[in-house]
């Protein structure tokens, strides 16, 4: 550790053997205290927290995580809940979808052909967030608007640059539902 206790004593006292022994004996306790303070600071922020910090936030916000949720997904869920503002507006929903899914990882469209329908499509790379998007929309979108929330599947125009040889490694379902990188 770079915080040696002996260095905090005046130069005259640093020369005494008794003071060296006392400082050497106290050093592990001070190091443990600094590490505990560092961990406490990390737990205070969502970007650096561990499972312990996420559990505290989930208890406060009354969020029930799944056993299979990663820490990153749990933090997205917490951030989404913390970013909720009243009154709920279309702009609020846009801001929360952006915070939850990320830029260019969702689309949102409001249509009125058979009553009001809000279509939200979540990108395949953010597939694990679909349930969170559904929960968010259920809380924010007014009840008279029908929700249609699905994944943004691969479409034919996105596969134009792929050759038949590259695509024949996959089934039709895989081509539709997995993220095809490098094609």
């Amino acid at each position: 550790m770079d915080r040696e206790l002996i260095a905090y004593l005046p130069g005259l006292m640093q020369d005494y053997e008794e003071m060296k022994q006392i400082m050497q004996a106290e050093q592990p306790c001070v190091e443990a205290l600094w590490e505990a303070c560092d961990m406490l600071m990390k737990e205070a922020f969502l970007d650096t927290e561990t499972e312990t910090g996420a559990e505290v936030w989930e208890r406060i916000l009354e969020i029930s995580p799944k056993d299979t949720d990663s820490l990153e997904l749990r933090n997205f869920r917490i951030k989404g809940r913390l970013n909720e503002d009243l009154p709920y507006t279309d702009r609020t929903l846009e801001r929360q979808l952006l915070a939850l899914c990320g830029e260019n990882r969702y689309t949102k469209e409001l249509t009125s052909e058979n009553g009001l329908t809000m279509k939200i499509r979540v990108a395949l790379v953010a597939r694990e967030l679909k349930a969170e998007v559904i929960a968010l929309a259920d809380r924010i979108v007014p009840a008279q608007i029908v929700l249609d929330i699905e994944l943004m599947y691969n479409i034919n125009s996105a596969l134009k640059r792929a050759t038949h040889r590259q695509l024949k490694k996959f089934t039709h379902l895989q081509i539709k539902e997995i993220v095809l990188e490098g094609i």
Side-chain angles (χ1 to χ4, degrees), residues 4-6 9 11-27:
E4 296 294 328
L5 288 179
I6 194 79
L9 293 177
L12 177 70
M13 294 185 76
Q14 290 178 8
D15 294 335
Y16 289 106
E17 190 60 34
E18 295 89 358
M19 295 310 289
K20 290 179 184 177
Q21 294 298 322
I22 291 171
M23 294 297 112
Q24 189 175 9
E26 294 293 327
Q27 189 69 36

Side-chain angles (χ1 to χ4, degrees), residues 3-179:
R3 295 178 183 95
E4 296 294 328
L5 288 179
I6 194 79
Y8 290 98
L9 293 177
L12 177 70
M13 294 185 76
Q14 290 178 8
D15 294 335
Y16 289 106
E17 190 60 34
E18 295 89 358
M19 295 310 289
K20 290 179 184 177
Q21 294 298 322
I22 291 171
M23 294 297 112
Q24 189 175 9
E26 294 293 327
Q27 189 69 36
C29 294
V30 173
E31 287 178 12
L33 181 63
W34 274 108
E35 286 177 22
C37 289
D38 285 343
M39 286 303 297
L40 186 61
M41 286 302 293
K42 287 179 182 174
E43 296 298 336
F45 300 98
L46 291 175
D47 293 334
T48 57
E49 74 179 358
T50 63
E51 300 278 334
T52 306
E55 287 173 12
V56 171
W57 277 111
E58 288 165 345
R59 223 178 13 256
I60 291 169
L61 298 172
E62 298 177 355
I63 297 172
S64 299
K66 298 174 187 158
D67 292 338
T68 58
D69 288 348
S70 67
L71 181 61
E72 181 183 11
L73 179 59
R74 291 169 69 188
N75 283 339
F76 274 129
R77 192 177 293 132
I78 292 166
K79 285 178 186 177
R81 190 67 66 86
L82 289 174
N83 285 331
E84 290 180 2
D85 299 15
L86 287 174
Y88 296 135
T89 63
D90 190 51
R91 197 174 312 155
T92 302
L93 179 60
E94 282 284 341
R95 201 171 44 245
Q96 291 184 12
L97 284 171
L98 179 65
L100 188 63
C101 298
E103 198 166 340
N104 300 324
R105 290 188 170 188
Y106 73 94
T107 61
K108 181 180 73 63
E109 176 187 6
L110 188 62
T111 61
S112 60
E113 31 197 63
N114 297 331
L116 285 176
T117 301
M118 181 172 289
K119 292 181 180 179
I120 300 175
R121 299 295 179 254
V122 180
L124 285 171
V125 293
R127 129 185 9 227
E128 67 275 0
L129 299 174
K130 180 183 172 195
E132 288 310 307
V133 171
I134 291 171
L136 173 70
D138 281 341
R139 281 194 312 275
I140 292 180
V141 176
Q144 72 266 26
I145 298 176
V146 176
L147 290 173
D148 177 14
I149 302 172
E150 293 295 330
L151 290 175
M152 241 189 277
Y153 294 111
N154 293 321
I155 57 175
N156 192 28
S157 61
L159 301 172
K160 282 183 182 177
R161 60 185 177 273
T163 65
H164 179 69
R165 179 173 290 187
Q166 290 171 314
L167 292 177
K168 80 176 188 181
K169 300 176 198 169
F170 305 102
T171 66
H172 288 281
L173 185 63
Q174 288 174 323
I175 290 172
K176 177 183 168 192
E177 294 184 351
I178 65 171
V179 179

